Amino acid sequence: QVQMVESGGGLVQPGGSLRLSCAASGSRFIFNYMAWYRQGPGKERELVAQLTSGGSTNYHDSVKGRFTISRDNAENTVALQMNSLKPEDTAVYYCNAGVLGRTYWGKGTLVTVSS
């Protein structure tokens, strides 16, 4: 059974940085894609960044130039480096991955950007 566990959330001041990590266990396959989603207070879940096994990336317009997604295909891990954080980045961040027609989710990690 595939399990995905996020870490690295917390409280940070505006303009600060955080690095989220996600480790996937139980999969014998390299995920076709790994991604980060977020869901802010009163908002729908949205895609923040996605990285395919081939290296293609896709970012939400609001995080371009501030966030960077990276992954280790051999270890099935994905990270999200978040710089220049803004209060509107406050959300629960979820790790997501897909392979062989199946999608997997982590339970989420809370990021709060506040002074």
Side-chain angles (χ1 to χ4, degrees):
Q1 182 176 357
V2 175
Q3 291 187 326
M4 305 187 71
V5 179
E6 303 98 337
S7 61
L11 174 65
V12 63
Q13 292 186 342
S17 297
L18 275 178
R19 182 178 177 84
L20 304 182
S21 298
C22 175
S25 61
S27 175
R28 295 181 295 163
F29 304 99
I30 295 174
F31 293 107
N32 295 135
Y33 65 87
M34 299 188 82
W36 289 94
Y37 282 73
R38 68 185 179 188
Q39 187 165 16
K43 299 180 181 179
E44 294 185 352
R45 190 173 298 190
E46 64 182 10
L47 175 66
V48 176
Q50 183 185 73
L51 177 55
T52 69
S53 57
S56 297
T57 57
N58 181 31
Y59 291 94
H60 192 280
D61 285 345
S62 68
V63 307
K64 288 180 180 178
R66 300 188 298 122
F67 291 10
T68 302
I69 189 171
S70 60
R71 63 182 287 184
D72 183 324
N73 288 338
E75 298 293 330
N76 269 342
T77 60
V78 62
L80 185 68
Q81 178 65 42
M82 305 186 294
N83 299 327
S84 302
L85 282 160
K86 304 175 181 180
E88 51 264 43
D89 294 318
T90 294
V92 177
Y93 284 72
Y94 297 91
C95 181
N96 167 263
V99 66
L100 298 179
R102 294 187 176 184
T103 300
Y104 303 95
W105 292 90
K107 293 182 178 181
T109 184
L110 178 62
V111 172
T112 303
V113 184
S114 176
S115 56

